[in-house]
Amino acid sequence: MRTLLWIIVICLSCPLAGSDGYALWLGHQLIEDSIVRQDYRAALTFIDGSTGGGEVATTATNELRRGLSELLGVQPLRGPGEAGAHGIYLGLRGRSARLDHYLATADVPDLGSEGYHLVYHDGDVLLLADDEPGLLYGAFDLLRQVQALTDLRSLNRTEQPAYAHRILNHWDNLDGTVERGYAGFSIWNWHQLPEYIDQRYVDYARANASIGINGTVVTNVNANSLIFREDYLDKAKALADIFRPYGIKLYLTARFSSPMELGGLDTADPLDPAVIAWWKEKVEEIYARIPDFGGFLVKANSEGQPGPWEYGRTHAEGANVLADALAPHGGIVVWRAFVYSDEAGRDRFREAYDEFTPLDGRFRNNVLVQIKNGPIDFQPREPVSPLFAAMPRTPLMLELQITKEYLGQGTHLVGLASMYEEVLGTDLRPTEPGGEVHQLISGIAGVSNIGTARNWTGNLFGQADWFAFGRLAWAPQTAAREIFAEWAGLTFGRDPEVIDSITQMLALSYPACVNYMTPLGLHHIMNTGHHYGPGPWIDDLGRADWNPYYYHGATRDSIGFDRTSTGSDALSQYPEGFARRYADPATTPEKFLLWFHRLPWDYELAGGNTLWRELGLRYQLGVEQVGEMADIWSGLEGRIDAERFRHVSQHLAIQQREAEWWRDACLAYFRSVSGRPLPEGVPAPPQTLEEYKALTYPYAPGIRPQW
Amino acid sequence: MRTLLWIIVICLSCPLAGSDGYALWLGHQLIEDSIVRQDYRAALTFIDGSTGGGEVATTATNELRRGLSELLGVQPLRGPGEAGAHGIYLGLRGRSARLDHYLATADVPDLGSEGYHLVYHDGDVLLLADDEPGLLYGAFDLLRQVQALTDLRSLNRTEQPAYAHRILNHWDNLDGTVERGYAGFSIWNWHQLPEYIDQRYVDYARANASIGINGTVVTNVNANSLIFREDYLDKAKALADIFRPYGIKLYLTARFSSPMELGGLDTADPLDPAVIAWWKEKVEEIYARIPDFGGFLVKANSEGQPGPWEYGRTHAEGANVLADALAPHGGIVVWRAFVYSDEAGRDRFREAYDEFTPLDGRFRNNVLVQIKNGPIDFQPREPVSPLFAAMPRTPLMLELQITKEYLGQGTHLVGLASMYEEVLGTDLRPTEPGGEVHQLISGIAGVSNIGTARNWTGNLFGQADWFAFGRLAWAPQTAAREIFAEWAGLTFGRDPEVIDSITQMLALSYPACVNYMTPLGLHHIMNTGHHYGPGPWIDDLGRADWNPYYYHGATRDSIGFDRTSTGSDALSQYPEGFARRYADPATTPEKFLLWFHRLPWDYELAGGNTLWRELGLRYQLGVEQVGEMADIWSGLEGRIDAERFRHVSQHLAIQQREAEWWRDACLAYFRSVSGRPLPEGVPAPPQTLEEYKALTYPYAPGIRPQW
């Protein structure tokens, strides 16, 4: 008894699983109810793997063992301990007698790459795949089921990822900073690689594999050619070796001018033989170290990055030289379409489409074009880019942002699964099948929100966005609410009221953010540079379309950006079946109104309010919704561990203050322009517009100091 | 039994106390031997505090309770549970019957500020102090005793810190970077203060209090006036509130030009009434938030920092205006003497002395002058600064560097207690009493090696340097070996062979580092800017004394810097009794030879080797000593937790490679200059001198990228 007591005390001294957030959604809480636990134990007494012993399959078995030890409180055996014992059989088709026995009676189709079949059969749990990564994803699925106390007897699922390419993009620089990073700094300790392998690299790979992510780009799209120097390739290899057992491929960003900067050539012209040879040789060097290297992600001729235009070549010509170097090794090029002209044109919205549609079909087979969800830049809400429906002969990657550059950065709780759901489900061809965004793409990339913060994402609830990205990259039609609930249960435990409350908070948070920042289709009105806080008044930057003002153009009479045929006609870039609805403000969904139309303040909306009145009420509603979120959270006190409870409470307090700041500063400004009084129910801003304009935050994170 | 088993399994799943290094030296291992444990429990059944309930005293009691729970496996009660029970009584003199009973028979002198008396008396452990911080330091002392399995009956100690000022200096910038930081980035999340209080701030305060540190400067000496903006003062207040219960005062660095940058004044002339008023008012603002604010640390007219010289004023005039503003509130000014002229003068060694000695006695009483241990800049070994013996009327602070800017940064294990011991024990007036450096100072500052790394210091053994700094700031005559052993026991557990091995490694590491980097008095030959790796050949920078070459001037015939009367005569800055020995190379300790003398390569040393031969052999010896350290460490496999074992092994591998790099590059260079062959026993460098010269590390940490 005494011994028991001292063990209990030690455990109470141990950091609770997950209490600092490091364990993410892999906390694997011990099943508390002893009867339930015993039932699971009896069902899962062993893990029998007939996997051929490859490293990914071994990882699958190890992760299953580790997770089940935590969930059940006992290590599963390595095979049936006694006759009649039940457990888990995992293996590749044709490699396991037990699985073949099952397959003789069940018709399990080809599971393809990374797919798996998880089923309860004759008292055992069977996990079958046609390649090793499938076993790994199946293992994590099974762990989620046990964590959620799913009845094992109900298991009968076949899962295949919707896309082959489910890739994180880190905007991490070699100096350790993270562009648009709000979770501390870069987790890649380049200086001490390849010798020093931080435990975090392994836990990173585990976390990503558990949500089906199979690739990662570890360098910033604002690229640095130094990554191709041989000592850095050795460092990259060390990372690739850690990721490989978790089914994750390493990618790097390729700076287009590398042949000059690193190679000493006097050109980077993609049609120059020396340049072609340089890339070929550099790719060989990479594959000599990393045989399954994923390929290159490239940002070219965008925001000052070098590219083929310097030589009068097209994006396709630029991409193809890299693609040809990679093709013999199975690598791909992901070429970003986030391009806008050096000089402000008619409408930035139009530019990527205008630039890339003529190139459709001109890229090599192993090139994908990566397109941000919307045509401007990751705003809280953007219409989807028309480019998704305009390059039918080119494989496309959707680029989503997980780090919340424009949605409150590190201080706001915003459940991005809601946004991702909207994007993926947007039907660009409503009059025919196959036109939803998730059907138009071959892969998804997410700009990572991961950093050196103990809890990986800085703001704890940023974990939910990372989780959601992974789950949607695998199964893009999953409902946001389902993802919220799943994440809550895995992260905070099984209490259904806790899960429900957190699901509510998350579900409320995205509409709230849009309301208190950019309601009714406002966009790009964040303060400039760091994008922290409001700045709709800013109108003095060197280029028209850098100015927040450009995106709403508010005057005494009206506000909004006309993208119809009377304006920039960006609407014409969409399929007619989609665009038709947006031509008329009366049929335009209110959430996109000011994206496409310029309207008088007195324009009457469907509900009866004027645009002016509705704008003010939406800002106020957003603030109140944050208050609701905070109320829900404080109701969870005592049911969440103290450390995470406090962390979230403190961040919600910041979010409340900042939501009010957004409301107050934006309405102080719009009021000054429109000359109209704030609607009833909207409090007067406590400071003057001049005071809001004078606020500076030179060290807002995620970008170089902004003096 | 089953229950016991599952609890054990959970514990095995918990991160072992200290296995990621976060727990530092406060891991408080449970006493394993049940009989020994029971003895301690019986002796320490309760903690009875008659402390008056102030926050520092409450912290003392809480820390004692927490630590003992971990050590004994049971929470001490809050008072005697039953008649005859024994435990701990802590309290302030005159506040506790039990302590007064003891004091009636024992003569305990005034313990002064922060002192304590810890004694075993009539079966109880008594902890007495005359102020609350004394209780806190005594509590941590008691915990160390229990951790080390000290016989409580032998307790009878009175401890008082040698100095009132035991202060960490963080060179942390407001953008999160750390100048000369190799442990990640800054732990201060300014952007989310004051609302978000990271758990790490509390653990930071605990760690520092446990080693007697009572002040911290949280901003870089290359200062930023923004810290004085009101929102930043609110952030600073939040930190001060966390530190206060741990007896730690907050300090800030003051940029001399703040009245202009922040205040909009057109001058920062310390004698200008508007400037004087500005500082007075700013100090009032600070104390309105932080009533026990420590004061300002100032770097002025040094390396581009603004200061009084711009206005034709002296350092004293500059310091005094700040001192006058702080004095009514009890604050101090710490004014750094690290000043060297804008243009290369005769010898940088001389400059701080020449600048500051005329100012002796001109500073206000609440100004301390802070002097680096040596006259150049934190080299692996420097002679102590002559300034320590030259300002008898001014209170002085010794500035030591804990972060290893010039001693291997984040990749080398170097036990700095050895260096600190040498510095503190250096007798500048050997012919009279009271001339040792530790006797000439009123406080010690340490440039912190703390960052966002999970283990706080990046390289795990950096913790030993932080620990040593604290222990020596408290008791500056403690032997380095004693500190190594104490740290090893607290950090890695009680196995005496483990403690002994680690003590050996640490003791070997500082001589090793000096040998493989800068033997025989070489100095400042690191590559420039980042100071990472060797660069003795560098001779093309804009200013003579920026060049490594300047510090050794090696030619075909000779090497070294003549600081005697035939050279720069820096030696004359020392008291004659000290300098005498260094005037003649034959009596100069070999470790300082090339600091003071220019000698022919063929100069014969005491042991019979030429200078040239000895140089080569020293570099080789250093490399071999790292190998010895690595051998000792690998012998500990299985006796150290796997994660920390691996971390240190991997870092030692880097250190081995870098020690060889130092040897090879330096000897390739010196060989090319001297024209002499390397001594037998020293391997030929594997690369050419040109190859060593061509190596670049633009992202070596701790400084802005060095392209």
Side-chain angles (χ1 to χ4, degrees), chain B residues 147-342:
Chain B
Q147 167 71 20
L149 300 182
T150 302
D151 185 341
L152 296 176
R153 294 166 300 185
S154 70
L155 284 178
N156 189 351
R157 36 205 292 136
T158 299
E159 290 278 346
Q160 289 172 288
Y163 314 110
H165 310 294
R166 310 181 299 281
I167 304 179
L168 276 187
N169 292 178
H170 288 264
W171 285 1
D172 291 26
N173 297 309
L174 296 183
D175 66 358
T177 57
V178 180
E179 191 166 334
R180 310 306 179 181
Y182 311 104
F185 289 84
S186 176
I187 60 172
W188 316 122
N189 186 342
W190 293 108
H191 187 67
Q192 297 191 7
L193 281 162
E195 289 103 329
Y196 178 53
I197 305 301
D198 193 324
Q199 176 65 32
R200 199 181 265 257
Y201 304 157
V202 180
D203 295 332
Y204 167 90
R206 166 180 302 115
N208 280 307
S210 77
I211 53 177
I213 287 168
N214 71 355
T216 180
V217 190
V218 296
T219 50
N220 194 354
V221 290
N222 289 322
N224 190 324
S225 55
L226 194 70
I227 195 63
F228 291 140
R229 200 172 76 177
E230 290 193 27
D231 57 333
Y232 274 85
L233 291 182
D234 291 338
K235 298 170 190 285
K237 168 188 162 47
L239 292 179
D241 288 347
I242 293 162
F243 300 156
R244 187 173 300 108
Y246 284 92
I248 296 168
K249 283 188 178 178
L250 181 82
Y251 295 76
L252 297 172
T253 48
R255 187 164 160 86
F256 205 77
S257 51
S258 298
M260 300 170 70
E261 288 164 4
L262 204 65
L265 302 187
D266 54 22
T267 179
D269 180 347
L271 300 191
D272 183 295
V275 171
I276 294 170
W278 189 89
W279 282 112
K280 188 165 184 303
E281 192 180 321
K282 182 53 67 181
V283 166
E284 305 271 342
E285 280 178 26
I286 294 172
Y287 279 93
R289 293 164 169 80
I290 309 171
D292 59 347
F293 179 66
F296 295 144
L297 172 63
V298 181
K299 172 179 179 177
N301 294 123
S302 170
E303 299 184 326
Q305 290 298 304
W309 287 0
E310 277 86 283
Y311 311 98
R313 311 294 182 198
T314 66
H315 286 288
E317 287 170 317
N320 290 345
V321 68
L322 303 181
D324 289 341
L326 289 160
H329 305 277
I332 62 174
V333 173
V334 182
W335 192 271
R336 287 174 92 234
F338 178 59
V339 167
Y340 55 96
S341 145
D342 280 347

Side-chain angles (χ1 to χ4, degrees), chain B residues 28 59 92 101 114 219 238 250 271 311 323 377 409 449 505 512 517 561 634 674 679 705:
Chain B
H28 295 143
T59 305
L92 300 173
H101 168 67
E114 302 174 299
T219 50
L250 181 82
L271 300 191
Y311 311 98
D377 188 26
Q409 306 189 347
N449 64 346
M505 284 173 72
M517 283 195 184
F561 202 116
S634 39
S674 73

